[in-house]
């Protein structure tokens, strides 16, 4: 393609996209880049590692086209290649890469290189190096280890990002910014301590208020001067829960602030290029939700441990939950699968190859949940250093005649056929609350189960039945808007921040259904226990009082016995283990009771009718069969929309994207066995083959079928 025809193509697509927007209403989002008439398919590309190898770049271009790749994330760790000495820039190699891309219809998400630093910088400005919680400053090395506060680092970042923006923001190949890489961790240097103190001052105003919020009279930990405040440390303060919580909040805010600082020079030059930064799977260290307003598009890096078991359902449901979480960060807007491996990783305990079919299935799984891209780490396998054995599109063998390369090309082909899915949305009627501040607090609590409180496992357990039933879900936090859902599931909502109880009450009052569990409504936003009875602000809507919670040894269990003829059809008995709440009814009705121990006969599952809606309380940690039965009964009773109206075989899920006119149904088989899905009598076309689908659809091992039907 010549540069002119490339530019004309871009213009025509942008025009069509605008028209598409107008004609099909509110359910289709604009494409991530108005320039690209296709799904984005590509990889992290590090040509700066290959500058001394003549011919490699030309070969890469040939191979990119063969693999049907149209986007590369370039320059992620290229700071030294771009600035070998302070103030001395080398852009020629990047000019050549981007110019050649433009000639060949390949686009770039251009990276800012702050994820790793040149050695000269660490040497001349040691303050850029991160200080650990033990107050020891790192030596130069590795990556992702800079101080987010250091004025010197911020200055260098501004300088570099300004150069990049001025030179490339209007380059025809550049369609967006990939800011830094996988932000994470905190720094405990003097600058960060000072920033933390200012953050605390702004939050509390007076030391009295801080001391009260942190309950510092305990162990005589009262602060009498702001200068005494320090971040948590292994050899210092660790057990003031309010401090731990505020430190985590500060680390998030400081990282967001750093990210904003990175973005400012980019947007100053050109404000309409989409900006993203790549996130990590359920990464606990940062409350990603706080980045949503700053970023134009959410992207994340997914590295599942496929084939751990013969049946991949467990991993698949967890990855599905993560896709839903990242999509929900920006209220349902399509996101980017920024990284995934085309074959194996080299950092998991066991780096197993993807079995045939899994690459297509796992790539399109992201699409099924709302991704408008499929991207990899990385394009060409590094020759040396720590990732030389990590899977890549182009192997050390250097050509396209590999299984992995063919798998990638197959995804490229499939994405071309899925063009109409771009910008469609998932429209869930149910959501689960997976709340980061709650996660921090519940795990830090020193309570009934220090061995493992299992917050994430509990979220997974409550999400799984929806995945099995093919019910699209949002994964939200307690500050999200509940009003658009019919059902909100809030497992272990230990921390209830101001306003949340009231909003959940209103949600139920207006006809919503809430499911809450044991160990909820225990503390406020400062990790201070609610006085006057648990579950605190949820007590009224749930219609129960939780007097005590029993924590069981692993050898112990109890029984949960549903009442015959209760409002939900349940089995005759379930196993409870680990945590059993001892509750009193305060308006709620018991749907099941405990079968054993000194609390036999007391309520184990309740429902409270409140306003137009219902609030369920699951008092104990129950086995998977309880969740399966309870939630499928609820889905049926409430008429929650399932992607297809028939029963799915185990290990098969169905997810939905729609523009309101056409539904795209993704039938995905993670069971490790061949399966047959009975369709629901509607007429379906196989999007990949263009053929009408029979009423019984066969899915091979790791098989996927994408079926289009008219929306209702
Ligand atoms: C992360 C990083 C990449 C690479 C991959 C390897 O996601 O962002 O640079 O290290 O892991 O899986
Ligand atoms: Zn610092």
């Amino acid at each position: 393609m010549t540069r002119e025809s490339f530019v004309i193509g871009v213009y025509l697509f942008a025009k069509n996209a605008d028209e598409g927007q107008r004609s099909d209403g509110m359910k289709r989002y604009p494409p991530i880049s108005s320039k690209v008439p296709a799904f984005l398919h590509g990889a992290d590309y590090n040509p700066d590692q290959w500058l001394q190898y003549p011919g490699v770049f030309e070969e890469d271009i040939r191979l990119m086209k063969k693999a049907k790749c149209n986007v590369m994330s370039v320059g992620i760790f290229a700071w030294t290649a771009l600035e070998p000495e302070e103030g001395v820039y080398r852009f020629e190699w990047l000019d050549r890469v981007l110019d050649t891309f433009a000639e060949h219809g390949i686009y770039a998400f251009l990276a800012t290189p702050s994820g790793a630093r040149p050695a000269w910088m660490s040497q001349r400005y040691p303050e850029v190096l991160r200080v650990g919680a033990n107050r020891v400053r790192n030596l130069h090395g590795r990556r992702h280890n800079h101080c987010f506060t250091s004025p010197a680092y911020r200055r260098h970042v501004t300088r570099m990002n300004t150069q990049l923006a001025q030179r490339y923001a209007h380059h025809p190949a550049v369609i967006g910014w990939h800011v830094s890489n996988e932000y994470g961790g905190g720094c405990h240097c003097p600058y960060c301590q000072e920033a933390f103190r200012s953050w605390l001052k702004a939050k509390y105003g007076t030391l009295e208020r801080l001391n009260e919020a942190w309950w510092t009279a305990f162990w005589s930990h009262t602060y009498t001067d702001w200068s005494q405040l320090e971040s948590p440390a292994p050899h210092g303060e660790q057990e003031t829960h309010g401090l731990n919580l505020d430190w985590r909040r500060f680390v998030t805010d400081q990282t967001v602030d750093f990210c904003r600082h990175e973005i400012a020079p980019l947007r100053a030059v050109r404000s309409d290029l989409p900006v993203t930064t790549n996130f990590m799977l359920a990464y606990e260290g940062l409350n990603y939700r706080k980045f949503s307003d700053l970023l134009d598009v959410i992207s994340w890096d997914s590295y599942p441990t496929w084939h751990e078991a013969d049946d991949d359902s467990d991993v698949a449901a967890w990855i599905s939950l993560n896709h839903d979480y990242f999509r929900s960060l920006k209220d349902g807007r399509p996101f980017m699968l920024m990284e995934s491996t085309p074959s194996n990783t080299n950092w998991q305990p066991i780096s197993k190859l993807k079995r045939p079919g899994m690459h297509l299935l796992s790539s399109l799984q992201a699409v099924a949940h709302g991704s408008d891209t499929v991207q990899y780490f990385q394009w060409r396998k590094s020759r040396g250093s720590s990732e030389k054995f990590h899977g890549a599109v182009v192997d050390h063998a250097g050509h396209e005649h590999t299984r992995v390369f063919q798998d990638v090309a197959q995804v490229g082909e499939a994405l071309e056929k899925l063009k109409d899915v771009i910008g469609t949305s998932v429209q869930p009627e149910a959501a689960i609350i997976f709340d980061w501040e709650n996660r921090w607090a519940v795990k830090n609590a020193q309570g009934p189960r220090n061995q493992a409180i299992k917050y994430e496992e509990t979220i997974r357990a409550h999400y799984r039945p929806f995945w099995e039933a093919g019910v699209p879900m949002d994964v939200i936090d307690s500050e999200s808007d509940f009003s658009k859902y019919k059902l909100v599931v809030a497992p272990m909502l230990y921390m209830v921040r101001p306003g949340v109880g009231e909003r959940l009450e209103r949600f139920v009052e207006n006809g919503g259904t809430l499911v809450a569990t044991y160990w909820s409504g225990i503390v406020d936003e400062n990790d201070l226990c609610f006085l006057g009875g648990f579950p605190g602000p949820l007590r009224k809507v749930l219609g129960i009082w939780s007097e005590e919670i029993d924590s069981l040894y692993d050898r112990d269990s109890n029984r949960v016995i549903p009442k015959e003829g209760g409002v939900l059809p349940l089995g005759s008995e379930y196993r409870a283990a680990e945590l059993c709440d001892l509750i009193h009814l305060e308006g709620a009705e018991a749907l099941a009771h405990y079968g054993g121990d000194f609390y036999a006969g007391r309520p184990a599952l309740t429902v409270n009718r409140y306003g137009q809606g219902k609030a369920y309380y699951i008092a104990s940690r129950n086995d998977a069969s309880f969740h399966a039965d309870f939630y499928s009964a609820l889905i049926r009773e409430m008429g929650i929309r399932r992607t297809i109206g028939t029963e799915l075989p185990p290990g098969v899920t169905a997810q939905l994207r729609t523009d309101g006119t056409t539904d795209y149904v993704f039938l995905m088989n993670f069971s490790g066995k061949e399966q047959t899905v009975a369709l629901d009598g509607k007429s379906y076309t196989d999007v990949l083959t263009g053929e009408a689908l029979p009423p019984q659809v066969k899915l091979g091992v790791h098989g996927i079928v994408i079926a289009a039907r008219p929306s209702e």
Side-chain angles (χ1 to χ4, degrees), residues 474-698:
D474 271 349
V475 178
I476 59 174
D477 88 349
S478 59
E479 274 152 45
S480 307
D481 173 16
F482 309 130
S483 64
K484 61 179 174 185
Y485 306 109
K486 288 185 177 169
L487 170 67
V488 170
V489 182
M492 286 174 82
L493 196 60
Y494 164 82
M495 171 189 279
V496 179
R497 297 196 289 282
V500 173
E502 293 77 354
R503 286 195 304 110
L504 284 170
E505 256 175 41
R506 221 172 311 129
F507 165 71
V508 177
E509 210 165 56
N510 293 334
T513 297
L514 169 69
V515 179
T517 73
Y518 58 89
W519 210 226
S520 290
I522 310 291
V523 300
D524 69 7
E525 77 279 17
N526 297 316
D527 218 345
L528 293 177
C529 293
F530 289 114
L531 301 179
F534 298 145
L538 306 179
R539 186 169 169 183
K540 197 161 120 202
V541 68
L542 291 164
I544 54 127
W545 167 41
S546 156
E547 184 185 342
E548 297 180 272
I549 188 160
D550 194 13
S551 184
L552 305 182
Y553 285 103
D554 286 352
R555 67 180 177 87
D556 303 328
S557 66
N558 205 321
R559 288 175 298 134
V560 170
I561 302 165
K563 204 165 81 182
E564 268 180 53
V567 288
L568 291 176
L570 294 172
S572 57
E573 186 173 313
Y574 301 97
R575 183 174 185 273
E578 299 184 355
L579 290 166
C580 295
D581 217 348
L582 276 53
I583 61 172
H584 300 271
L585 301 177
E586 290 183 337
E589 174 195 333
L591 299 179
H593 60 266
Y594 288 113
D597 221 316
F598 71 93
Y599 38 93
R602 289 185 56 179
L605 172 70
T606 62
V607 64
N608 192 37
R609 284 174 182 77
Y610 190 85
Q612 310 287 308
K614 286 180 189 163
Y616 291 87
Y617 190 77
I618 303 171
S620 51
R621 181 168 283 170
N622 300 335
D623 61 9
S625 68
F626 171 83
H627 295 126
D629 290 357
F630 174 75
Y631 284 113
S632 49
L634 205 58
I635 290 166
R636 230 170 296 129
E637 191 214 43
M638 295 181 61
I640 301 266
R641 191 169 54 231
R642 289 183 296 148
T643 301
I644 58 168
T646 52
E647 285 295 308
L648 295 166
V652 172
T653 189
Q655 300 291 329
L656 181 74
R657 288 186 70 168
T658 181
D659 63 359
T661 307
T662 307
D663 292 346
Y664 298 93
V665 172
F666 291 71
L667 299 170
M668 297 176 277
N669 179 11
F670 291 96
S671 69
K673 299 186 192 110
E674 287 184 7
Q675 300 286 1
T676 303
V677 177
L679 294 178
D680 50 9
K682 297 179 182 157
S683 87
Y684 287 91
T685 311
D686 184 327
V687 182
L688 297 183
T689 65
E691 281 163 22
L693 280 165
Q696 303 281 325
V697 176
K698 289 212 177 329

